[in-house]
Amino acid sequence: KQATLKKYHSTNSNSISDRVVEPIAFTDNYQNLIAYEVKTKTNKYFNIERISGVTVGTKNFQFEKLHEAHQPDVFGFPFAKQQYEIELLLTVRSYVLLKEQYPSTEKYIKKVKSSKTHQYLFKTKVYNLTPITRFIMGFSDELIVVGSPALKKALKEKFDRLVKG
């Protein structure tokens, strides 16, 4: 059955509204509901914490052929055709903090013998660079960006905006 997500707090549209959806699945960590939104005719990820309530409707699914469910990346961003490979060397401090803030990253971190200070390698693909650029800006003394041309470009653009004021 279709359902209505009551008073959904969207950070994308910066609004609070009811959303009529056809639920598909939960993400592995149960933080998001993957659902087809009837109004926008798109598959979306709805953060469970931002849903104020749920009402199960009387209408059966009407768009089941359009349902798609992909697991989000390690930072919780939904599937996108564009993917970015990221690779970082981490100190013990940045390794621990990355794991704590983003538990899904743990399986992509390996201990390496690259130097005495940077003992961990984090390597994965992501759908959005925003969370990792925020993390890097906060812990820039605790990591080294290896490879990852798109990530380096995003960091440079972010830093250039920051220093221009």
Side-chain angles (χ1 to χ4, degrees):
K1 300 280 183 192
Q2 290 183 349
T4 301
L5 308 180
K6 304 300 255 174
K7 295 182 183 174
Y8 182 74
H9 294 67
S10 172
T11 57
N12 287 333
S13 65
N14 198 25
S15 66
I16 301 170
S17 62
D18 291 351
R19 308 289 186 98
V20 177
V21 300
E22 295 183 357
I24 301 168
F26 288 101
T27 56
D28 287 343
N29 57 10
Y30 294 97
Q31 290 183 337
N32 295 287
L33 169 68
I34 304 171
Y36 181 85
E37 186 177 35
V38 174
K39 182 178 179 180
T40 61
K41 297 181 176 21
T42 55
N43 293 288
K44 293 186 175 182
Y45 295 68
F46 295 93
N47 185 307
I48 299 298
E49 294 292 320
R50 298 183 194 150
I51 300 171
S52 298
V54 177
T55 304
V56 178
T58 57
K59 286 186 181 178
N60 291 326
F61 284 178
Q62 297 176 346
F63 305 98
E64 200 164 3
K65 290 180 181 176
L66 301 173
H67 291 189
E68 291 181 9
H70 300 278
Q71 289 300 316
D73 68 18
V74 295
F75 297 107
F77 269 80
F79 174 78
K81 290 183 170 101
Q82 177 83 34
Q83 293 184 28
Y84 306 95
E85 179 130 348
I86 58 172
E87 190 173 351
L88 306 175
L89 284 171
L90 308 169
T91 62
V92 172
R93 181 178 293 121
S94 59
Y95 158 69
V96 169
L97 293 171
L98 183 64
K99 271 190 343 178
E100 284 178 358
Q101 290 179 21
Y102 302 102
S104 297
T105 61
E106 185 170 16
K107 65 183 175 180
Y108 300 96
I109 302 172
K110 296 181 179 161
K111 188 153 177 60
V112 293
K113 295 181 183 179
S114 62
S115 75
K116 289 185 179 184
T117 55
H118 296 84
Q119 301 173 11
Y120 297 91
L121 178 68
F122 172 52
K123 185 175 180 179
T124 191
K125 289 183 181 177
V126 297
Y127 303 128
N128 189 304
L129 292 171
T130 302
I132 194 62
T133 57
R134 285 182 187 150
F135 183 83
I136 291 169
M137 295 293 282
F139 298 100
S140 60
D141 292 341
E142 300 289 332
L143 49 83
I144 299 170
V145 179
V146 182
S148 312
L151 177 57
K152 287 179 180 180
K153 181 180 176 190
L155 286 165
K156 184 177 179 341
E157 289 170 0
K158 191 179 247 345
F159 184 75
D160 287 347
R161 278 193 309 273
L162 180 67
V163 296
K164 284 181 184 174

